[in-house]
Amino acid sequence: MPDYNRAATLYWWVMVVAGSALTLVCTAQLLQMSWQTWLQLSAGVLLAIGAGLFPIRLPGRKNSFAAGEIFLFLVLLVLGPAAAAVAAGAEALTGSWRTSKRWTSRIASPAIAVLAMASTGSILHGLLGALERADLGGAAATLAAALVFSALYFAANSVLMSTVLRLKRNEPIFQWAALLSDLRWVGLAYAGSAAVAALLFVTYQQQGGGVLLVMVPLLAMLLVSLHLYFRQQEVGLALGQAQTAFDVRQAQATHQHLLMLQASEQRFYSAFTHATIGMALLDFQGRMLQANPALCRLLGTGGADAVGQAFSDHVAEEDRAGLQAQLGLAGGHEFQGFACELRCQHADGAVVWLALHVGFFTEPGADTPCLILQAQDVSARRAAEAGLLQLAFHDNLTGLPNRRRFIECLDSAITRCRADAEHRFAVMFLDFDRFKLVNDSLGHGVGDLLLQGVARRLQENLRPGDILARLGGDEFVLLAERIETEREVVVLAERLMQSLKAPFDVGGVSLTASASIGITFSSFGYASADDVLRDADTAMYKAKGEGKARWALFDASLHTAVADRLRLEGDLRQAIEMHELSVVYQPVFELASGRLTGFEALLRWAHPTQGLLGPAAFLPMAEETGLIRPLSDYVLHCACQQLRLWQMSQPGWAGLTMSINVSAVDLSQPDFVARVGRAVVEAGLAPQHHSLELTENVLMAQVEGATQKLQALRTLGLRLAVDDFGTGQSSLSHLSRLAVDSLKIDRSFIHQLQWGSDDSAVVRAIVQLAGSLRKTVVAEGIETAAQAAQLRDMGCTYGQGFHLSTPLSAMDASALLQLRGRLD
């Protein structure tokens, strides 16, 4: 359907689907009728089709009359709307196959005929029934109703059939002038057919079906005779006027040609002459069939000269191949047009930027479709964009030079260094630690204000001539030239880190910032700015890996470390996709009784070459690369499902609990509470049997943003624990108001636990503190019986460690539960 636009295509499909459905409904109704009714219907359909094959044309006239409607209307009056709709569809199908070669017309015509006949026929039968009930029936009433019906049927059929053409041409659907013009002949023919059918029907009602057996064949023979007679009259008239016909036809042809030229001029006058943008009609090879004055002005050519030229001849050589490739697709069925911007060569040599839009265009009466091109001069916009690109060397947020400007400065420094070995330089790559947490917890507005403050603080501590730029996000770079020793750069890096230690007041919130800095020097003999940034970035990641908030110098061995890290990251992505990770379960015991109370879920990765890896080997990398979310969801799902299986397998295990570690990235994500709640609900767990563990440093770093989420988790019924307690910087005021249920003493205190030692005093203080705050205590890393006994004497409630049990697979944990028996 290359010449159908979107609206015409949609209308065509609606008509076809509705007509097909209605045909099936009518056929289903007819299936309930007797075979005599089917015989009458078949006779009516054949007569209607046959009458359509013999249109009656009056000699010397262009109009013709097909009497098939007489038999369709007669079927309607005798057998009802369903039979008439099927008959109309069959007659329209035959007529469309005879008169049109387009498959769209052959399908749509019978569907529209069914819709028109069924709707108006139902109105006619309703009208006749109403007249009959009002005792107004009779021959006159039937004739009047048939005439009303003929007008409705003509209007419905005409509007439905013409709408698709109107939509294709983007014309108004209801054109009353055209409808009234058709009514003069076609409408009268419909009225005559309806009158004849009504008279036959009245005769049928009064005299019975026998009269139709006589009148219908006679009527058919009369129509055929009239058809043949008028055909003979036309032939005789043509032979009698053979001597003068040639001159008449010549005059008519000349007149018709003039009318066509006038119509063509009228069609395109407004579109081409008065258009403010350039327009042209192209054939599928790209040759201009017609061009308007606006396009000629854009190209600097005359209208007559443009016709027949290939439009691509006016296109700049560097853009010509792309345009020709697009035009080469025009003959395909999937072609929907295209839009592009390209340069054209004006006749005076100037370059003109044009925004082109090319699409299908079918001129009414044309044999083949063509293309319509619309061109708008965008040279001013292109010039403005080029100017802005020259000016856009600074970051909008901080006012610092942006990446493009920094690359230019760095390229210049590299060139000077290669020309003069004494001109040494260094580059620092700065990335702020945990900046993403600020954005996620406090919003991007606060993050932007923090970046502005950081930029000012750094600029205040630079040397004269140093260039600080923002690459994007929280990444900054510094170019330091004319350096004497590497120590100067190290001192500068330490001064910058020291300047960041003072808190930033951002929108009433006090925030601290720290940066990891990677440093590289020109002594490595760089040839490109990209190589310098790559190595400085590599050194920065080394600084992050060593604990963040520090600097690191680049050396050649870092390339190997980066390659290993990238390889491990790729392996982790593949392991997540292939479900190669597993969850093990560390039992937790009540120290006083030795009773097994629950498990802690721990993630393990069986790497194909490095063996079994614990979380510390890959979770930090997962947090940096965004892979922590699928890992956390996987552990949540496995742990919840496994806990539910254990609780349901034995009544005595119903109180079993499960602890899961939560990362800083998890806590900062807005949907974290919903994710945890969904995992618990899907597993069918009671929330109080589920505990989330957050490290002390993470909890204190996000104390302002985490409070609301922790309270939401407590509202769901989940329990919360502070992991690695004692190693961070907890504030007692924060600890007292945080919604946590238990403290887990870090294994570093348990490892050196001895009577009278400092570690023993710290552990005893933590146990007493937890008791005062009404929080339970869990000791991690219990490796000896003496440690377990000492913790039990201190009043520590729960413990876990290799002395009690190593982390177990789900199967081994189930076996341990069977061995231990009931939890209560």
Side-chain angles (χ1 to χ4, degrees):
M1 303 169 70
D3 57 337
Y4 277 62
N5 56 30
R6 187 179 187 88
T9 302
L10 178 61
Y11 175 80
W12 185 92
W13 276 108
V14 169
M15 290 296 101
V16 169
V17 172
S20 301
L22 189 54
T23 301
L24 293 175
V25 172
C26 292
T27 304
Q29 294 178 5
L30 293 176
L31 290 176
Q32 300 175 7
M33 298 183 180
S34 64
W35 66 270
Q36 292 90 343
T37 301
W38 275 95
L39 184 60
Q40 293 173 358
L41 174 60
S42 301
V45 170
L46 292 176
L47 288 171
I49 293 173
L53 298 176
F54 298 96
I56 301 172
R57 175 180 293 179
L58 299 179
R61 305 283 297 185
K62 294 182 180 180
N63 302 103
S64 62
F65 169 65
E69 283 77 10
I70 295 176
F71 302 105
L72 293 180
F73 297 163
L74 186 58
V75 170
L76 172 63
L77 292 169
V78 175
L79 300 179
V86 173
E91 190 274 337
L93 177 62
T94 304
S96 62
W97 275 84
R98 180 172 57 85
T99 59
S100 176
K101 294 182 179 180
R102 299 192 55 153
W103 64 269
T104 52
S105 298
R106 293 178 174 180
I107 294 175
S109 294
I112 291 175
V114 171
L115 289 171
M117 178 58 77
S119 58
T120 56
S122 298
I123 294 174
L124 173 61
H125 265 248
L127 180 59
L128 289 176
L131 292 173
E132 188 70 28
R133 288 189 296 272
D135 293 331
L136 298 176
T142 301
L143 180 59
L147 292 176
V148 173
F149 157 75
S150 68
L152 293 176
Y153 180 62
F154 160 74
N157 207 20
S158 298
V159 171
L160 292 177
M161 288 296 293
S162 62
T163 295
V164 67
L165 297 177
R166 309 285 188 214
L167 292 175
K168 287 167 59 177
R169 301 171 186 170
N170 293 317
E171 298 175 352
I173 294 177
F174 296 101
Q175 296 190 4
W176 302 109
L179 187 63
L180 293 175
S181 176
D182 293 340
L183 184 61
R184 288 181 298 178
W185 171 253
V186 182
L188 290 176
Y190 273 55
S193 299
V196 173
L199 293 175
L200 289 174
F201 175 66
V202 171
T203 306
Y204 163 75
Q205 285 183 317
Q206 296 175 356
Q207 302 298 328
V211 70
L212 294 181
L213 297 177
V214 176
M215 291 301 297
V216 170
L218 287 177
L219 180 60
M221 292 175 62
L222 175 60
L223 294 173
V224 172
S225 299
L226 287 174
H227 169 76
L228 296 177
Y229 173 75
F230 286 134
R231 287 291 299 274
Q232 290 175 357
Q233 291 295 314
E234 284 185 345
V235 172
L237 182 62
L239 292 176
Q241 299 175 348
Q243 297 301 321
T244 59
F246 179 77
D247 295 335
V248 173
R249 284 195 298 270
Q250 283 291 97
Q252 290 177 344
T254 303
H255 180 67
Q256 185 68 22
H257 182 65
L258 291 175
L259 291 177
M260 291 177 63
L261 290 177
Q262 292 173 357
S264 177
E265 182 180 359
Q266 185 177 4
R267 275 195 306 271
F268 293 103
Y269 179 78
S270 60
F272 281 80
T273 305
H274 301 293
T276 59
I277 63 174
M279 299 179 67
L281 293 181
L282 309 179
D283 62 16
F284 282 0
Q285 285 71 45
R287 290 187 296 270
M288 289 186 282
L289 305 177
Q290 193 170 357
N292 74 336
L295 182 64
C296 294
R297 288 193 297 272
L298 289 175
L299 301 178
T301 183
D305 297 334
V307 175
Q309 291 183 351
F311 182 79
S312 58
D313 293 343
H314 300 276
V315 177
E317 185 175 355
E318 50 267 40
D319 295 335
R320 190 174 301 163
L323 176 64
Q324 290 174 339
Q326 292 278 11
L327 290 173
L329 302 174
H333 294 294
E334 302 298 327
F335 181 77
Q336 296 294 328
F338 63 90
C340 64
E341 292 188 3
L342 47 74
R343 287 158 288 189
C344 287
Q345 195 77 32
H346 194 273
D348 61 4
V351 175
V352 181
W353 275 97
L354 295 182
L356 299 185
H357 183 275
V358 180
F360 269 118
F361 178 80
T362 302
E363 185 182 4
D367 294 333
T368 58
C370 58
L371 301 175
I372 185 168
L373 175 144
Q374 303 176 58
Q376 188 171 3
D377 187 355
V378 294
S379 301
R381 176 171 62 80
R382 280 283 185 166
E385 290 175 353
L388 289 174
L389 286 176
Q390 294 298 322
L391 297 174
F393 285 116
H394 289 81
D395 175 53
N396 292 332
L397 180 64
T398 62
L400 296 175
N402 59 11
R403 175 185 288 271
R404 181 177 179 181
R405 178 60 179 162
F406 184 81
I407 292 295
E408 290 184 356
C409 295
L410 184 54
D411 281 333
S412 298
I414 293 173
T415 301
R416 289 191 292 270
C417 182
R418 298 183 71 177
D420 180 8
E422 295 299 319
H423 187 92
R424 292 185 289 270
F425 67 86
V427 171
M428 296 184 191
F429 198 111
L430 294 84
D431 185 272
F432 289 90
D433 305 322
R434 294 184 296 275
F435 178 76
K436 186 176 185 300
L437 298 180
V438 176
N439 275 340
D440 292 341
S441 58
L442 300 179
H444 289 273
V446 174
D448 290 344
L449 293 175
L450 177 60
L451 288 176
Q452 292 173 343
V454 165
R456 288 193 295 269
R457 187 82 59 84
L458 292 176
Q459 285 180 298
E460 293 169 357
N461 289 273
L462 297 181
R463 307 177 310 159
D466 291 343
I467 299 175
L468 178 67
R470 180 186 178 218
L471 297 185
D474 61 335
E475 294 180 341
F476 292 77
V477 284
L478 173 66
L479 173 62
E481 296 189 81
R482 298 182 182 89
I483 60 174
E484 298 294 332
T485 63
E486 294 183 354
R487 180 60 188 167
E488 293 180 52
V489 181
V490 172
V491 170
L492 175 59
E494 291 177 342
R495 182 166 71 246
L496 294 179
M497 289 192 298
Q498 184 65 30
S499 70
L500 296 175
K501 290 184 177 180
F504 292 86
D505 185 5
V506 181
V509 179
S510 179
L511 298 175
T512 58
S514 64
S516 299
I517 303 177
I519 307 173
T520 189
F521 299 94
S522 58
S523 57
F524 287 100
Y526 291 109
S528 71
D530 289 339
D531 292 341
V532 179
L533 290 178
R534 178 201 62 203
D535 290 350
D537 187 29
T538 301
M540 182 273 295
Y541 273 107
K542 176 185 178 183
K544 277 187 177 293
E546 291 176 350
K548 303 179 181 179
R550 62 188 64 206
W551 54 266
L553 301 178
F554 175 79
D555 60 69
S557 64
L558 288 181
H559 278 306
T560 302
V562 171
D564 292 341
R565 184 181 183 278
L566 291 176
R567 189 179 301 109
L568 186 63
E569 178 183 340
D571 292 344
L572 180 58
R573 292 183 184 275
Q574 183 177 1
I576 294 173
E577 294 175 359
M578 303 300 294
H579 305 289
E580 295 176 352
L581 292 99
S582 60
V583 178
V584 296
Y585 302 94
Q586 172 85 52
V588 178
F589 296 89
E590 187 178 56
L591 296 179
S593 63
R595 180 172 59 93
L596 194 158
T597 62
F599 294 91
E600 179 182 359
L602 303 172
L603 188 62
R604 294 291 185 267
W605 178 18
H607 193 277
T609 59
Q610 301 183 32
L612 189 64
L613 299 180
F618 59 89
L619 283 187
M621 178 186 65
E623 290 182 348
E624 294 176 3
T625 57
L627 296 176
I628 192 65
R629 183 186 180 101
L631 291 178
S632 298
D633 288 344
Y634 173 71
V635 175
L636 268 172
H637 174 77
C638 290
C640 291
Q641 295 293 333
Q642 185 59 59
L643 178 60
R644 184 57 177 162
L645 287 176
W646 283 331
Q647 289 180 341
M648 295 179 64
S649 60
Q650 292 285 350
W653 300 346
L656 200 64
T657 63
M658 181 68 71
S659 299
I660 298 177
N661 294 285
V662 176
S663 74
V665 176
D666 286 327
L667 190 61
S668 67
Q669 291 173 346
D671 63 341
F672 175 65
V673 176
R675 287 163 49 203
V676 174
R678 183 167 56 251
V680 173
V681 171
E682 289 177 352
L685 284 174
Q688 64 269 21
H689 295 151
H690 195 81
S691 178
L692 299 180
E693 298 184 2
L694 303 97
T695 63
E696 184 179 10
N697 286 331
V698 167
L699 207 53
M700 293 303 108
Q702 302 186 52
V703 63
E704 297 298 334
T707 303
Q708 186 175 0
K709 291 181 181 178
L710 295 180
Q711 188 58 50
L713 293 169
R714 287 294 301 273
T715 302
L716 290 178
L718 281 80
R719 299 176 63 82
L720 302 173
V722 180
D723 198 10
D724 301 337
F725 187 77
T727 61
Q729 301 175 359
S730 295
S731 166
L732 290 180
S733 62
H734 287 154
L735 188 61
S736 63
R737 63 186 176 89
L738 282 176
V740 296
D741 300 283
S742 61
L743 307 177
K744 298 193 71 172
I745 304 175
D746 187 69
R747 65 181 66 249
S748 60
F749 296 106
I750 307 302
H751 180 67
Q752 302 293 335
L753 190 62
Q754 295 181 0
W755 290 107
S757 65
D758 291 341
D759 288 333
S760 176
V762 170
V763 172
R764 186 182 301 277
I766 293 175
V767 172
Q768 292 174 352
L769 173 65
S772 301
L773 296 176
R774 295 180 300 279
K775 304 181 188 300
T776 59
V777 179
V778 181
E780 297 182 295
I782 301 175
E783 298 181 356
T784 65
Q787 294 171 353
Q790 190 172 352
L791 288 167
R792 187 167 50 249
D793 293 341
M794 291 180 181
C796 181
T797 311
Y798 301 102
Q800 62 185 88
F802 284 5
H803 169 68
L804 302 175
S805 175
T806 60
L808 304 172
S809 66
M811 182 179 298
D812 292 339
S814 298
L816 178 63
L817 285 169
Q818 293 286 353
L819 181 64
R820 290 278 180 168
R822 295 175 59 88
L823 300 180
D824 52 2

